[in-house]
Amino acid sequence: MTPVDTYTAQATVGDVNKGITNHKNLESDSTALLVFGNGDGGGGALPKMLENLRRIRAATNEHRELPSVSMGSSVEEFFADIEEASKEGKTLPVWKGELYLEFHRGTYTSHGSIKKGNRKCEILLRDVERVATLTSLLKPKGHSYVYPKRAIDECWEKVLLNQFHDGKLMEFWRIYDV
């Protein structure tokens, strides 16, 4: 979950402040993702929300009580920036064990056949990762095999997206703690 504890923020001053004050990993990256817009199943950003963020951005030019904000072009850009700033993720903390999604309980399917299919995909992708890793390690000299990280990541993203109750990505703003 984002530091604002929602993906339907209303883009208020309180939301922007919470993006920094509730940020649990500032030592790794001082930016936060503010995902805003109406509704879980649609609606998106309202003109009032965009105006709020425009005014907050203007206010941060004059006052430092608020963190600065900027509109991102895509969520992928946000994560690409973090990946670059964290030396391809090497400086980010590593989570071991099961994730407990305290704010997203009950959002996964309760249909057994879908759970079974999701689990089968997870196992197959784990196997693909193992074979790709072994191939990288054991390839004969002169062979130009390259681990297919991008293709595997794209497969994982599809599997994980299909496990979630909706895959809607809303607009976001970046919040900077300067």
Side-chain angles (χ1 to χ4, degrees):
M1 194 53 119
T2 67
V4 184
D5 288 337
T6 184
Y7 53 90
T8 57
Q10 297 299 297
T12 64
V13 170
D15 290 336
V16 170
N17 268 333
K18 193 171 183 182
I20 294 301
T21 60
N22 199 37
H23 196 307
K24 296 185 176 44
N25 204 19
L26 281 172
E27 68 278 358
S28 295
D29 193 79
S30 63
T31 62
L33 186 66
L34 175 64
V35 185
F36 64 95
N38 275 345
D40 191 9
L46 298 176
K48 180 182 186 318
M49 295 172 189
L50 297 171
E51 179 62 15
N52 285 350
L53 290 168
R54 187 195 65 75
R55 287 178 182 219
I56 292 168
R57 183 176 57 213
T60 61
N61 290 335
E62 302 294 324
H63 306 284
R64 282 289 162 217
E65 290 83 25
L66 288 172
S68 62
V69 296
S70 71
M71 183 69 163
S73 62
S74 70
V75 174
E76 288 80 13
E77 174 195 316
F78 175 82
F79 288 110
D81 289 348
I82 289 178
E83 190 171 25
E84 181 182 323
S86 66
K87 299 178 179 131
E88 305 302 314
K90 291 182 179 97
T91 61
L92 294 176
V94 175
W95 186 270
K96 293 189 180 184
E98 189 171 335
L99 288 176
Y100 173 65
L101 304 172
E102 62 185 292
F103 295 108
H104 270 78
R105 291 184 300 256
T107 59
Y108 295 97
T109 184
S110 59
H111 298 277
S113 62
I114 294 175
K115 286 183 177 188
K116 184 177 180 180
N118 285 337
R119 185 65 182 135
K120 184 175 182 177
C121 287
E122 291 171 355
I123 291 167
L124 289 170
L125 275 172
R126 181 198 59 198
D127 292 346
V128 165
E129 288 179 325
R130 286 178 175 171
V131 169
T133 300
L134 284 172
T135 303
S136 295
L137 295 172
L138 302 175
K139 67 181 177 187
K141 283 191 174 192
H143 285 272
S144 60
Y145 176 82
V146 176
Y147 184 88
K149 181 183 183 323
R150 176 173 281 156
I152 291 173
D153 286 350
E154 286 174 7
C155 289
W156 271 114
E157 287 174 15
K158 288 177 186 172
V159 167
L160 295 172
L161 178 67
N162 287 322
Q163 290 183 5
F164 192 65
H165 73 292
D166 73 6
K168 183 177 181 303
L169 297 177
M170 296 182 194
E171 296 186 50
F172 72 94
W173 280 64
R174 293 185 75 154
I175 303 168
Y176 300 88
D177 183 27
V178 180

